[in-house]
Amino acid sequence: MPEETPSTPPTLYYDGACPVCSREIAMYRRQPGADAVRWIDVTHCPAEALGPGLTREAALARLHLRRADGSLVSGAAAFTTLWLNLPRWAWLGRLLGNRPVLWILEPGYRVFLKVRRSWRRAA
């Protein structure tokens, strides 16, 4: 019988110094299934909590999610991947998580990032 390896939960990296981001993440953390996601506030975590291939600068610049397989997604793809892990939101993740739709959503996310700079508290 093969030895079981513990499953690595998906990990969401978010900017806790952004008040809009923090409120949205707090809402997701109250959802059923949220206890199966690791939530990392990149403004207060040690560098090693970011894992391979993710710098603090990159993590602060946009939302990132590390899938259970270790791969990273960011921006609109990180949101849709998060939604797939939250039962009440999974339908939206399935609806919007395909390449053609992400191609449309990503520019909107980039506009949000520009506006967000003015909301971000000094960390």
Side-chain angles (χ1 to χ4, degrees):
M1 180 178 228
E3 192 176 312
E4 284 189 32
T5 57
S7 171
T8 303
T11 302
L12 189 82
Y13 303 93
Y14 67 95
D15 181 355
C18 168
V20 172
C21 307
S22 293
R23 280 193 296 276
E24 184 171 8
I25 295 302
M27 183 270 302
Y28 290 134
R29 290 182 80 165
R30 292 189 301 269
Q31 301 299 308
D35 54 342
V37 176
R38 288 184 59 213
W39 306 88
I40 305 290
D41 177 351
V42 298
T43 60
H44 300 295
C45 73
E48 58 272 7
L50 299 173
L54 184 61
T55 65
R56 189 174 313 275
E57 181 179 82
L60 287 170
R62 56 191 284 126
L63 190 75
H64 284 77
L65 185 136
R66 187 176 307 278
R67 295 178 178 132
D69 68 4
S71 63
L72 277 171
V73 290
S74 68
F79 276 102
T80 60
T81 305
L82 171 63
W83 297 337
L84 288 170
N85 286 278
L86 301 173
R88 289 184 181 163
W89 293 82
W91 67 272
L92 191 58
R94 287 188 300 275
L95 180 69
L96 302 179
N98 60 69
R99 285 191 194 268
V101 177
L102 287 172
W103 187 79
I104 294 167
L105 292 176
E106 185 61 28
Y109 180 71
R110 289 180 185 187
V111 169
F112 163 77
L113 290 176
K114 289 180 183 196
V115 173
R116 170 183 99 97
R117 288 182 198 146
S118 65
W119 297 330
R120 193 176 184 286
R121 297 182 294 263

